[in-house]
Structure formats: structure tokens, C-alpha cells
């Protein structure tokens, strides 16, 4: 052994331990996206999104109807809550329809297609009978029910076209007839043209646009060839251009696109411009609920067609983006229901309802933003109007029923157990709760570790 200069033995140094590599930090954004995807892929996600999103839109719509309609009601010498109470009554009836539609089997929905279509056609023809039909804002599309209650049958025509068209295309697909263009178009297109003709007799161009969107949605889901699809679209565009060109009112609405002043030459763009003023004055968080200035006689139809503008003024950009997010989630959930089913009727009906609600929301919001002509259609589930709310809530019930019919969703619902009111076996066993689709073992075995 070698010794050091001091005569002492050298000190034995301990060998260095290898340094363990530090675990890589996960990207929080990537982790959040992964968790969101896993949550969205769960079987009941579409069911909860459709139910929760539609209820949130309806409740927020009731609040905004109450806020936006008070001044209009007082100007008409009515109580301030007049329009709100009527909308609340319609929402209560609509909730019953939603619950009934969500519990109906698919066979019953298909059986209701022809009666709903026949009833809608009869009521839409009844509108043109003198003494029965009522004109509102220049459009004769209403039936007086007595008192202050009126019915707009064209709103039920949308639901009729969705159910009847879905049933028709599903039966033709079962017989493998959709490969022939005549079976794809007949009798779907003639029936849709009949409904459009009855609507246009009353001058309601906005509802006709929504009905046309539903027709194209059904044809697209049925796999219409590009040439056939483009041909029908060209004919519809030509007819729309003729109808717009022959009406001074529709030409005036088209001339107000991008207007920034109430008067732009001979055309009065008061409503379109004040809708922009309401959105611009709201800022990020708005002026506060009930604090809108435009609803004090400056903005026509503040509680119906332009309720989105009042929402932007009182709740700001945050409120309008929340409404847009709810509609986007509702539309995406409807697309998921239509894409995951094997039943052709469910696919066509879910796609038709999704097209209906999405197209109507885009047309209404686009008109308020000044990007589209004012079509006079309400914001689904949000604007005032019982005739529009009732069939829309029934259509939401259809989507909920279809989401429940998915095999994975049906299995997940069957595995759920109530939290309370369950009898205990042996007196000490607690009811179990399933947080995932994988069932847990009834009892964990001891591992021997302490």
C-alpha cells in the first residue's frame, strides 16, 4: 500500500452513484388536449352535450327575452314581463315535448312522419284562407288561436320535412334505390317544393331558406352525386335570385350589407346599423344585464330577430362567444350522433336537425353582424317566439333519443346505478358508483403488504 507524504494511509473515496435522469415534464397543453379527447370519446358525451347545451341556450334565452322585451311591452301598454311569461309558457310546453321525444322509440318517430307532414301542409294552406290567416310584418304566415296567441305553421314544416324526408330516404336505402337519381329526387324534391310554395305565398323568404338548407342537407347525407347536387343548387339559386329581384323589400335588405349609417341613399338601414351599434358598445364584458340602450326604441325587433345584438350590448364579447360556443358544441354533437349510427333513418334525421339548427343560427347571427341580409328568422332556442321554440325543442328531443340509441351509450346507461334509494344487501353494503365503463371488482383482495 502506497502512503501519502504525511505518512497516513490514503483516504478511500466512495464511488459516485449514477445520476438518475430527470423525468421529462409533460406539456400541460398537450395533457389538456389528451384529456379533452378522452372525455369527448366517452359514449355519453354527445348525450350530455345536446341535453346540457340546449337547456343552457334556452335558459339564457329566457333571461335575454325578459331583458330585451321590457321596453317594447311597456311601449305597447303591456306589463313589462308580458313577452317573458309567454316565452316561459312556451318553454314549459317545449320541455314536455322534448322529454316525450327523447323517450320515444325510433319506430314511433318514423310513424309520426306522415301525420306531422299532413298536419303541417293543412295548417300552411289554412293560413291563406281569408279570416283565418293573419299578416305580421307584411308576411301572412300566422293563424290566430284566440287572445294574444298565434301559430306559425311554417315552423312545423321544418320538422315535417326532416322526419318525412329521413323516413323516405331510409326506406329507399333499404331497397337500394338511392343509386338512381330519380329515386333520390322523387318525391323528396317535389314535396319540398310544395312546402316552399306554401311558405312563399305568405312572403316568408327566411323560413324558405332554412327549408332549402334542410333539403340540401338530406341530399348530401344521401350521397347525391356532385353533378346532381350542383344542378339542384343552381336551380335553387336561380329561383332565389328571381324572388329577391322582384321584391323591393328584399332588394333593400340586400343593399344594407356592410352599411355603417342609418341612411344609405334611398334605402333605410336603420335596423342593421343599430344592431352593429349595440354590438360595438358592449365591449368585452358588456354594459350589464338590463342596461342596454338600443332596446329603448332604437333597435326594432330587439327581443326576436336581433336579440343577439342586445346580448352583445349587455353581456359583451364574452356573452356572445359563449352563445356561439354553445351552438358550436350542439352542432358538433349532432354531427357525431349522425356519424356513429348504423340506422339510416337516425343518420338522416339527426343530420337534418343539425343542418336546420346550425343554418338558422348562422343566418340570424350573420344578419346581426351585417355579413348576411336580414332574413327575419329567429335564433333557435334563444329568440322570442313559441311557434319556433316548440318544434325546435321537439327536434332536440329527437337528437337526445338518437344519442341514447347508440350501443355504447345504451350500455353505459344500463351500467349506471342510482346514488340514493338503493337497498343495501346484508345491511352494510354501500351502493357502488361507476365512473367509467369498466366495471370494478366487488371486493379488493388483500395484497399482503402493510
Amino acid at each position: 500500500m502506497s502512503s501519502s507524504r504525511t505518512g497516513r494511509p490514503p483516504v478511500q473515496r466512495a464511488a459516485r452513484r449514477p445520476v438518475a435522469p430527470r423525468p421529462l415534464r409533460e406539456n400541460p397543453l398537450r395533457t389538456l388536449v389528451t384529456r379533452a379527447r378522452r372525455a369527448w370519446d366517452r359514449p355519453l358525451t354527445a348525450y350530455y352535450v345536446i341535453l346540457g347545451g340546449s337547456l343552457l341556450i334556452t335558459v339564457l334565452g329566457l333571461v335575454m327575452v325578459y331583458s330585451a322585451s321590457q321596453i317594447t311591452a311597456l311601449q305597447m301598454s303591456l306589463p313589462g314581463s308580458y313577452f317573458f311569461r309567454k316565452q316561459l309558457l312556451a318553454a314549459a310546453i317545449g320541455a314536455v315535448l322534448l322529454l316525450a321525444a327523447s323517450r320515444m322509440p325510433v319506430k314511433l318517430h318514423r310513424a309520426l312522419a306522415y301525420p306531422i307532414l299532413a298536419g303541417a301542409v293543412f295548417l300552411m294552406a289554412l293560413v291563406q284562407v281569408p279570416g283565418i290567416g293573419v299578416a305580421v310584418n307584411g308576411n301572412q304566415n300566422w293563424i290566430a288561436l284566440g287572445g294574444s296567441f298565434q301559430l306559425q305553421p311554417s315552423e312545423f314544416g321544418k320538422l315535417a320535412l326532416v322526419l318525412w324526408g329521413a323516413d323516405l330516404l331510409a326506406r329507399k336505402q333499404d331497397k337500394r334505390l338511392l343509386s338512381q337519381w330519380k329515386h333520390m329526387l322523387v318525391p323528396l324534391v317535389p314535396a319540398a317544393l310544395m312546402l316552399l310554395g306554401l311558405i312563399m305565398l305568405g312572403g316568408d323568404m327566411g323560413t324558405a331558406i332554412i327549408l332549402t338548407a334542410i333539403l340540401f342537407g338530406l341530399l348530401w347525407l344521401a350521397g347525391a352525386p356532385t353533378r346532381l347536387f350542383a344542378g339542384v343548387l343552381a336551380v335553387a339559386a336561380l329561383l332565389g335570385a328571381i324572388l329577391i329581384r322582384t321584391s323591393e323589400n328584399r332588394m333593400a335588405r340586400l343593399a344594407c350589407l356592410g352599411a355603417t349609417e342609418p341612411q344609405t341613399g334611398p334605402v333605410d338601414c336603420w335596423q342593421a346599423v343599430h344592431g352593429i351599434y349595440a354590438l360595438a358598445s358592449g365591449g368585452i364584458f358588456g354594459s350589464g344585464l338590463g342596461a342596454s340602450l338600443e332596446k329603448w326604441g332604437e333597435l326594432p325587433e330587439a327581443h326576436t330577430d336581433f336579440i343577439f345584438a342586445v346580448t352583445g350590448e349587455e353581456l359583451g364579447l364574452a356573452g356572445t362567444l359563449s352563445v356561439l360556443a354553445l351552438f358550436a358544441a350542439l352542432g358538433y354533437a349532432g354531427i357525431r350522433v349522425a356519424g356513429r349510427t348504423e340506422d339510416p333513418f337516425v343518420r338522416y334525421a339527426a343530420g337534418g336537425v343539425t343542418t336546420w339548427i346550425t343554418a338558422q343560427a348562422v343566418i340570424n347571427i350573420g344578419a346581426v353582424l351585417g355579413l348576411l341580409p336580414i332574413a327575419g328568422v329567429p335564433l333557435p332556442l334563444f329568440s322570442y317566439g313559441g311557434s319556433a321554440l316548440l318544434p325546435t325543442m321537439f327536434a332536440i328531443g329527437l337528437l337526445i333519443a338518437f344519442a341514447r340509441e347508440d350501443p355504447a351509450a345504451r350500455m353505459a346507461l344500463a351500467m349506471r346505478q342510482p346514488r340514493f334509494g338503493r337497498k343495501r344487501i346484508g345491511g352494510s353494503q354501500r351502493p357502488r358508483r361507476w365512473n367509467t365503463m369498466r366495471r370494478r371488482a366487488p371486493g379488493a383482495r388483500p395484497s399482503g403488504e402493510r
Side-chain angles (χ1 to χ4, degrees):
M1 179 182 292
S2 61
S3 60
S4 62
R5 295 180 180 178
T6 57
R8 297 178 180 179
V11 179
Q12 296 288 340
R13 295 183 179 182
R16 293 183 179 181
R17 296 180 179 178
V19 179
R22 296 181 180 180
L24 297 177
R25 294 183 179 180
E26 295 184 359
N27 189 351
L29 181 59
R30 183 178 300 176
T31 304
L32 181 62
V33 171
T34 303
R35 291 181 178 178
R37 287 180 177 177
R38 290 178 180 175
W40 182 250
D41 287 336
R42 292 178 180 177
L44 292 176
T45 299
Y47 169 76
Y48 287 126
V49 169
I50 295 172
L51 178 60
S54 59
L55 291 181
L56 285 175
I57 295 173
T58 305
V59 171
L60 183 57
L62 287 172
V63 174
M64 294 311 305
V65 165
Y66 181 65
S67 175
S69 65
Q70 288 182 352
I71 307 304
T72 304
L74 294 176
Q75 289 175 346
M76 300 172 62
S77 300
L78 297 171
S81 60
Y82 173 77
F83 293 104
F84 168 75
R85 286 181 293 176
K86 291 185 65 176
Q87 186 74 356
L88 183 61
L89 176 61
I93 299 175
V96 176
L97 293 177
L98 185 149
L99 182 62
S102 64
R103 294 294 179 178
M104 289 181 184
V106 175
K107 291 183 179 180
L108 184 55
H109 288 145
R110 299 187 68 168
L112 290 175
Y114 282 87
I116 292 178
L117 178 64
V121 170
F122 174 74
L123 292 176
M124 290 167 68
L126 201 63
V127 168
Q128 306 304 323
V129 177
I132 299 179
V134 178
V136 177
N137 295 331
N139 295 335
Q140 188 167 351
N141 285 314
W142 300 81
I143 295 178
L145 299 179
S148 61
F149 293 96
Q150 295 177 343
L151 180 68
Q152 187 177 3
S154 58
E155 293 291 339
F156 294 88
K158 305 172 186 177
L159 178 63
L161 181 60
V162 167
L163 286 177
W164 178 80
D167 178 68
L168 176 68
L169 293 175
R171 286 188 289 108
K172 286 181 177 290
Q173 180 174 335
D174 291 339
K175 297 179 181 180
R176 299 181 180 180
L177 297 175
L178 291 181
S179 58
Q180 306 176 23
W181 66 269
K182 59 181 180 180
H183 284 287
M184 183 173 293
L185 297 182
V186 180
L188 178 62
V189 174
L193 290 177
M194 178 187 63
L195 293 175
L196 289 172
L198 291 173
I199 292 174
M200 290 307 301
L201 282 177
D204 191 358
M205 185 77 177
T207 305
I209 294 174
I210 305 300
L211 210 68
T212 305
I214 295 174
L215 173 62
F216 282 112
L218 291 175
L219 290 176
W220 182 78
L221 289 170
T226 305
R227 291 179 296 177
L228 181 63
F229 197 84
V232 177
L233 182 61
V235 173
L238 179 61
L239 292 176
I242 294 175
L243 292 173
I244 293 174
R245 188 67 180 177
T246 55
S247 174
E248 295 182 0
N249 184 27
R250 295 172 191 142
M251 287 297 297
R253 294 183 180 185
L254 191 63
C256 289
L257 284 176
T260 57
E261 296 293 336
Q263 292 286 344
T264 56
V267 180
D268 186 8
C269 300
W270 182 274
Q271 186 180 27
V273 171
H274 278 271
I276 298 296
Y277 288 170
L279 291 172
S281 60
I284 302 297
F285 298 104
S287 58
L289 192 62
S292 171
L293 297 178
E294 292 293 333
K295 67 182 180 183
W296 287 77
E298 298 294 333
L299 181 62
E301 306 296 336
H303 60 297
T304 54
D305 301 342
F306 273 72
I307 194 171
F308 188 76
V310 179
T311 304
E313 185 179 5
E314 295 186 353
L315 303 183
L317 181 64
T320 55
L321 289 181
S322 299
V323 174
L324 291 175
L326 288 174
F327 275 110
L330 187 61
Y332 193 77
I335 293 174
R336 169 173 166 163
V337 172
R340 291 197 172 190
T341 182
E342 297 294 335
D343 190 338
F345 172 79
V346 173
R347 180 168 63 253
Y348 295 137
V353 170
T354 305
T355 303
W356 163 14
I357 296 177
T358 305
Q360 188 164 329
V362 168
I363 291 174
N364 178 275
I365 296 174
V368 174
L369 295 176
L371 303 176
L372 296 174
I374 300 175
V377 296
L379 190 59
L381 302 173
F382 201 84
S383 297
Y384 169 78
S387 296
L389 184 62
L390 295 181
T392 306
M393 294 193 74
F394 187 89
I396 294 296
L398 287 177
L399 289 180
I400 294 174
F402 297 155
R404 292 168 59 94
E405 287 295 324
D406 183 77
R410 201 183 312 166
M411 185 183 301
L413 289 172
M415 294 176 64
R416 290 172 54 187
Q417 294 185 3
R419 299 180 183 180
F420 307 103
R422 189 175 181 84
K423 296 181 180 180
R424 296 184 179 180
I425 302 174
S428 61
Q429 184 178 359
R430 294 184 178 180
R432 291 172 303 205
R433 293 169 55 189
W434 313 119
N435 296 325
T436 61
M437 286 193 63
R438 184 176 59 184
R439 247 181 117 169
R440 296 180 181 178
R445 297 181 179 179
S447 62
E449 297 179 359
R450 296 183 179 179

